[in-house]
Amino acid sequence: MQAMVCTQYGSPDVLKLQEVAKPVPKDNEILIRIHATTVTSGDCRVRGFKSPLLLWLPMRLFLGLRKPRKAILGVELAGEVEETGKHVTRYKKGDRVFAFTGMRFGAHAEYICLPEAGLVASTPASVADEDAVAILFGGTTAMHFLRKGKLQIGHNILVYGASGAVGTSVVQLAKHFGAHVTAVCSAANHELVQSLGADRVIDYRTDDFTKSGMQYDLVFDAVGKTKKSHCTQSLTPNGTYVTVDGQGIAKVLMEDLLFLTDLLAQGKLQPVIDRRYPLDQIPDAHRYVETGHKKGNIIISLA
């Protein structure tokens, strides 16, 4: 099968399309033919090995000293079950599924094997593969940090970086949970975030939200570009600040995956897709993600 392999740490040029062995499912695994996957900011950080200095050595030991130990990146996918292990009971050949691989990576390939008891869910019949895969990383990350920030009905939340994969999910989920949402993004993306439910939009290039005098129950930095010290005056006395950068890896729960699936099937969660690339153009997808200007998700289509 073909796969995009990260041959060493470095620029997108280290990514090479190669022929690798097609995986064979173990007794408790399903073999999935991947139809759609994504390139996320996390993929770019691993490939370029962007790590805080204090975490440099631990991360190298974890990911691989000279190159990624898991050379095929990609953490989310949607596709079709092609084969099942003899102990698998939940899925059968032909079932449409979408899945989150986490630190197993492996989604930038034509096939992958995953445990049936892993973070795998059936794709709703009404939902396209590209739409299903577009809610995984952003949606589960949003759920994790909204829970950490103790969002409640009636809260005022500010979402910094509201037009990215995580931000677009945060805006929609916060509204679903009954919050008043202020979104911070570039002027070019104001219409997008308003269409997702944002009550108020701020252009970060012309306005500093910390100087407006407004206070929020939750400030959610969805891109890791603010600091808590900078946002303190914008928090209510019991307000909370959360960021995707430096507050740990978002824990993905099966209950969140099923919840997001249900919202997607009901049309209550809108997948946001910026661009689509074929498998052999994943390096170009990495370059685009690293510009910092993507809207929502970058899809890799294999169908």
Side-chain angles (χ1 to χ4, degrees):
M1 71 171 185
Q2 288 192 317
M4 188 61 67
V5 178
C6 186
T7 59
Q8 63 185 74
Y9 296 116
S11 74
D13 294 332
V14 304
L15 299 168
K16 305 295 183 184
L17 189 66
Q18 297 182 359
E19 284 287 334
V20 300
K22 181 179 177 181
V24 176
K26 298 177 182 177
D27 291 347
N28 67 333
E29 291 183 335
I30 56 176
L31 173 67
I32 303 170
R33 171 69 183 265
I34 298 174
H35 293 165
T37 180
T38 64
V39 169
T40 69
S41 56
D43 293 316
C44 294
R45 283 194 294 271
V46 172
R47 184 261 307 150
F49 195 75
K50 297 176 181 178
S51 172
L53 183 59
L54 291 176
L55 296 177
W56 194 94
L57 183 56
M59 289 303 294
R60 277 281 172 134
L61 292 173
F62 178 73
L63 292 172
L65 286 174
R66 296 185 178 181
K67 61 182 180 179
R69 191 174 291 110
K70 303 287 187 180
I72 301 173
L73 304 180
V75 298
E76 52 193 347
L77 61 102
E80 182 178 323
V81 176
E82 181 158 303
E83 187 179 343
T84 63
K86 63 181 181 180
H87 293 159
V88 172
T89 58
R90 188 178 303 171
Y91 301 104
K92 65 183 184 301
K93 183 177 180 179
D95 285 349
R96 294 177 63 231
V97 295
F98 66 122
F100 191 86
T101 69
M103 299 309 289
R104 295 169 64 99
F105 297 104
H108 292 169
E110 292 181 307
Y111 294 91
I112 191 171
C113 285
L114 293 174
E116 73 160 335
L119 292 167
V120 182
S122 296
T123 306
S126 60
V127 176
D129 290 325
E130 291 186 355
D131 289 342
V133 81
I135 68 163
L136 284 168
F137 172 74
T140 55
T141 301
M143 290 292 290
H144 172 85
F145 285 105
L146 286 174
R147 189 179 295 116
K148 188 172 184 176
K150 298 180 173 59
L151 184 73
Q152 297 178 22
I153 295 174
H155 270 184
N156 286 316
I157 175 176
L158 179 134
V159 185
Y160 192 90
S163 58
V166 176
T168 52
S169 292
V170 175
V171 169
Q172 295 183 79
L173 290 169
K175 286 299 295 182
H176 179 77
F177 293 136
H180 183 280
V181 179
T182 296
V184 181
C185 60
S186 67
N189 295 324
H190 281 196
E191 185 176 344
L192 168 65
V193 296
Q194 285 176 326
S195 73
L196 300 177
D199 300 288
R200 181 168 173 258
V201 186
I202 297 173
D203 183 354
Y204 75 91
R205 291 175 176 170
T206 58
D207 296 299
D208 183 347
F209 74 89
T210 65
K211 296 179 180 179
S212 69
M214 291 286 293
Q215 290 191 314
Y216 304 92
D217 300 291
L218 176 59
V219 171
F220 191 133
D221 181 356
V223 288
K225 292 186 178 180
T226 67
K227 293 183 179 180
K228 183 176 182 179
S229 58
H230 184 65
C231 301
T232 302
Q233 62 187 357
S234 297
L235 293 171
T236 60
N238 295 315
T240 305
Y241 168 86
V242 296
T243 176
V244 297
D245 185 34
Q247 288 190 339
I249 297 174
K251 185 176 182 180
V252 181
L253 303 177
M254 190 63 189
E255 63 191 69
D256 288 346
L257 190 59
L258 296 175
F259 175 72
L260 294 168
T261 303
D262 187 52
L263 290 182
L264 186 62
Q266 295 181 54
K268 295 180 179 179
L269 183 62
Q270 178 182 332
V272 179
I273 298 173
D274 187 340
R275 294 186 181 183
R276 296 169 174 84
Y277 295 85
L279 182 66
D280 62 356
Q281 291 181 20
I282 282 181
D284 291 332
H286 274 245
R287 292 184 186 96
Y288 181 60
V289 171
E290 289 189 323
T291 66
H293 299 306
K294 73 179 180 69
K295 303 174 184 179
N297 298 269
I298 302 303
I299 300 295
I300 306 301
S301 179
L302 291 84

